[in-house]
Amino acid sequence: MIIYPIKGWWISMDIWIAISGLVVGMIIGTTGMGGGIIMTPLLLFGFGVSPAVVVGTDLIFASVTKSFGAWQHWRQRTIDFNLILRVAIGSIPGTLTGLLLLLFIKQGNQTDLNLFITKSISVAFILISIVMLLKLAVRKKSIYDGSKQVNTGILISIGFLTGLLVAITSVGSGTLFIALLLWLYPYKSSTLVGTDILHGVLITGVAGLAHSFLGTIDYVLLLQLLIGSIPGVLIGSRITVKVPDLYIRILLITMMLVSSFILLFR
């Protein structure tokens, strides 16, 4: 624990929180995942943060961190802007729907909100695990090269489901989006990761802003996480174009399964 003075008041700096941010930032930059799938259980179980604050803080954390990663991927030309546009048609309404649901539940009491978020996180992990396991069971396809038309209706549906889960749980902006697209349209992973990161900036930013009005953001915790995650995501984004496509996919699946088991059996 390190203490820093900031404009006349003091903030306790937990070095392990910053290190956690660094590791998760590197994972986000490399795989597009980590903002929720790793950080959510880490904050819940590792640092004992309440579920509602975990979701709100994690959303702003993911949005800021992914902004730096998106900039790096834009420089590397690993972003499909046409794909982002079509997915966002569904993800923005999905995000707003999730936020309205949280606002309705919060009118009851904070205990109900925390319980609902906890159960929703469990469901999100199970859903994403099933999608990834189905991908393993399907015969490997060739890398999607953009030569055939991608079904816009499917992309909008994926966007809506992703936005809904992100608003409620902070999980899914990377995991569910990537899992479904790898299953249905196996894009080259570096392009898919870059596209997902930029899309994640959009929906986590919208959801995080709304959570700030719900009072579910710990700004001191957020600052400590960002100290580590910003350099981490820049490093990870550079790695993603140098790592073989197959290795990135294996890392995606492994992260998903490990996180699911931690949540289910803790």
Side-chain angles (χ1 to χ4, degrees):
M1 186 78 70
I2 305 173
I3 308 296
Y4 291 102
I6 298 181
K7 291 186 177 179
W9 56 283
W10 297 80
I11 176 174
S12 60
M13 174 67 187
D14 190 328
I15 191 65
W16 291 110
I17 294 179
I19 291 174
S20 298
L22 174 67
V23 173
V24 173
M26 291 182 66
I27 293 172
I28 291 174
T30 306
T31 69
M33 295 169 56
I37 202 67
I38 301 299
M39 188 56 75
T40 297
L42 182 62
L43 292 178
L44 279 172
F45 306 130
F47 297 103
V49 183
S50 69
V53 173
V54 164
V55 172
T57 304
D58 185 36
L59 285 168
I60 297 296
F61 162 79
S63 182
V64 175
T65 301
K66 288 187 175 187
S67 296
F68 286 87
W71 172 75
Q72 181 63 43
H73 277 280
W74 173 75
R75 292 182 61 200
Q76 297 167 178
R77 301 180 183 275
T78 51
I79 295 177
D80 186 333
F81 289 97
N82 183 49
L83 176 60
I84 290 176
L85 178 61
R86 286 185 285 173
V87 172
I89 293 173
S91 63
I92 298 300
T95 301
L96 295 176
T97 300
L99 293 169
L100 289 174
L101 182 58
L102 289 181
L103 182 60
F104 174 77
I105 295 172
K106 192 176 188 296
Q107 291 177 350
N109 57 65
Q110 190 66 31
T111 300
D112 290 341
L113 181 62
N114 281 324
L115 180 61
F116 175 75
I117 289 175
T118 300
K119 297 299 183 183
S120 298
I121 290 173
S122 300
V123 172
F125 274 100
I126 293 171
L127 173 63
I128 298 169
S129 297
I130 290 173
V131 172
M132 294 299 285
L133 287 172
L134 287 173
K135 176 64 179 74
L136 284 174
V138 176
R139 183 172 61 86
K140 182 179 178 182
K141 302 176 184 178
S142 58
I143 298 298
Y144 177 71
D145 59 5
S147 60
K148 63 178 181 179
Q149 182 65 37
V150 179
N151 189 298
T152 299
I154 292 177
L155 292 178
I156 292 174
S157 299
I158 290 174
F160 184 87
L161 179 58
T162 300
L164 182 67
L165 283 179
V166 167
I168 297 172
T169 69
S170 80
V171 175
S173 65
T175 49
L176 185 62
F177 181 84
I178 286 180
L180 289 173
L181 284 182
L182 277 177
W183 183 23
L184 297 171
Y185 307 103
Y187 286 84
K188 184 177 180 181
S189 289
S190 58
T191 299
L192 186 56
V193 168
T195 302
D196 164 68
I197 287 177
L198 182 55
H199 176 251
V201 172
L202 176 64
I203 58 175
T204 57
V206 170
L209 180 61
H211 272 269
S212 68
F213 291 103
L214 291 173
T216 55
I217 298 176
D218 184 331
Y219 291 98
V220 173
L221 175 62
L222 174 64
L223 175 63
Q224 295 179 65
L225 290 170
L226 290 175
I227 288 173
S229 69
I230 291 174
V233 74
L234 293 175
I235 295 170
S237 297
R238 293 180 65 87
I239 292 175
T240 194
V241 294
K242 299 179 181 180
V243 177
D245 192 79
L246 177 61
Y247 293 170
I248 295 178
R249 293 192 185 201
I250 292 174
L251 180 58
L252 290 171
I253 295 170
T254 301
M255 286 168 51
M256 186 67 255
L257 293 176
V258 169
S259 298
S260 299
F261 280 114
I262 290 174
L263 189 64
L264 288 173
F265 297 107
R266 186 175 178 83

